[in-house]
Amino acid sequence: MSESTQKKASLKKEAKKEKKENMEKMEEMEKKITALEETVAKDKDDYLRLMAEFDNYRRRTSQEKLELVSMASTDTIKGLLPILDDCERALKVLLESNDSDAAKEGTELIYSKLMGYLKSKGLAVIEAMNQDFDTDLHEAVAQFPVEDEDKKGKIFDVVQTGYTLNGKVIRFAKVVVGI
């Protein structure tokens, strides 16, 4: 073998060796790239989950704050309902008596101001008289036999007025139902 053939063979060997090393390096780099892509995808998924969890937390705490404020006003308004009942009774008694008109007007004024304030806070009276009995709004305290078929299942008398606060029942109307 001549020297130039040996050189060519040696160069071919080196080229093959270098090519093999380059291929190994390429495979190693591809493995690293794949591993990094998996890490990035996992980190992105974790980030998205964390953001969603934080958004849910923020929404939940905001809702809890609203409910807390609502519950505070609910307790206050529930405490005022007996006073409202007393005003209604006083008005009924005053209208039936021969007392002075000033007492009647004064009591009506107090009642209307109190009721107006409570209505502005979301309080609403549950209309019950001559309505169909509804267990979601009414509580039957007595049943009264009626002869007229149209009045059966209807509310005959309201013993205690019921109220809703922002659409939720805070006190059921206590009623007498015709049977």
Side-chain angles (χ1 to χ4, degrees):
M1 241 199 219
S2 70
E3 196 175 310
S4 75
T5 313
Q6 278 183 339
K7 254 186 183 180
K8 281 184 185 179
S10 170
L11 285 174
K12 278 186 180 182
K13 262 188 182 177
E14 281 183 39
K16 281 185 180 180
K17 189 178 177 183
E18 199 173 299
K19 189 176 181 182
K20 188 178 178 184
E21 287 175 1
N22 284 341
M23 291 295 270
E24 288 174 358
K25 285 182 182 177
M26 287 287 282
E27 287 176 11
E28 190 178 311
M29 291 292 196
E30 285 177 2
K31 287 179 183 177
K32 284 183 179 180
I33 289 172
T34 303
L36 287 172
E37 285 175 343
E38 288 173 2
T39 303
V40 167
K42 182 187 174 298
D43 289 347
K44 183 178 179 183
D45 183 56
D46 289 348
Y47 172 75
L48 290 173
R49 289 179 188 272
L50 184 63
M51 289 302 294
E53 188 176 321
F54 178 71
D55 194 40
N56 289 339
Y57 167 77
R58 188 178 51 200
R59 235 182 277 127
R60 186 175 58 249
T61 56
S62 174
Q63 184 67 27
E64 286 172 357
K65 285 178 186 176
L66 286 173
E67 286 176 10
L68 183 64
V69 169
S70 174
M71 284 306 296
S73 66
T74 300
D75 289 343
T76 303
I77 290 175
K78 278 184 180 180
L80 291 173
L81 292 181
I83 298 168
L84 205 58
D85 293 338
D86 290 343
C87 283
E88 288 174 354
R89 280 188 220 100
L91 275 172
K92 193 179 282 186
V93 168
L94 283 172
L95 290 174
E96 293 172 0
S97 73
N98 294 329
D99 288 341
S100 71
D101 289 336
K104 292 176 187 176
E105 289 176 24
T107 307
E108 283 179 2
L109 180 66
I110 293 169
Y111 175 76
S112 64
K113 279 187 177 182
L114 179 60
M115 194 62 180
Y117 173 76
L118 293 174
K119 281 184 178 180
S120 73
K121 297 300 178 189
L123 187 73
V125 174
I126 296 174
E127 295 298 326
M129 197 64 169
N130 298 320
Q131 300 287 322
D132 288 332
F133 179 71
D134 182 359
T135 57
D136 293 333
L137 302 172
H138 311 120
E139 178 183 339
V141 293
Q143 294 179 340
F144 191 80
V146 290
E147 293 177 17
D148 191 3
E149 280 294 319
D150 293 341
K151 292 190 177 186
K152 288 188 178 184
K154 299 247 185 215
I155 295 171
F156 184 80
D157 188 23
V158 177
V159 176
Q160 188 178 45
T161 307
Y163 296 96
T164 60
L165 183 62
N166 299 322
K168 288 185 176 179
V169 176
I170 59 171
R171 186 170 81 183
F172 291 95
K174 295 185 180 182
V175 297
V176 177
V177 181
I179 55 168

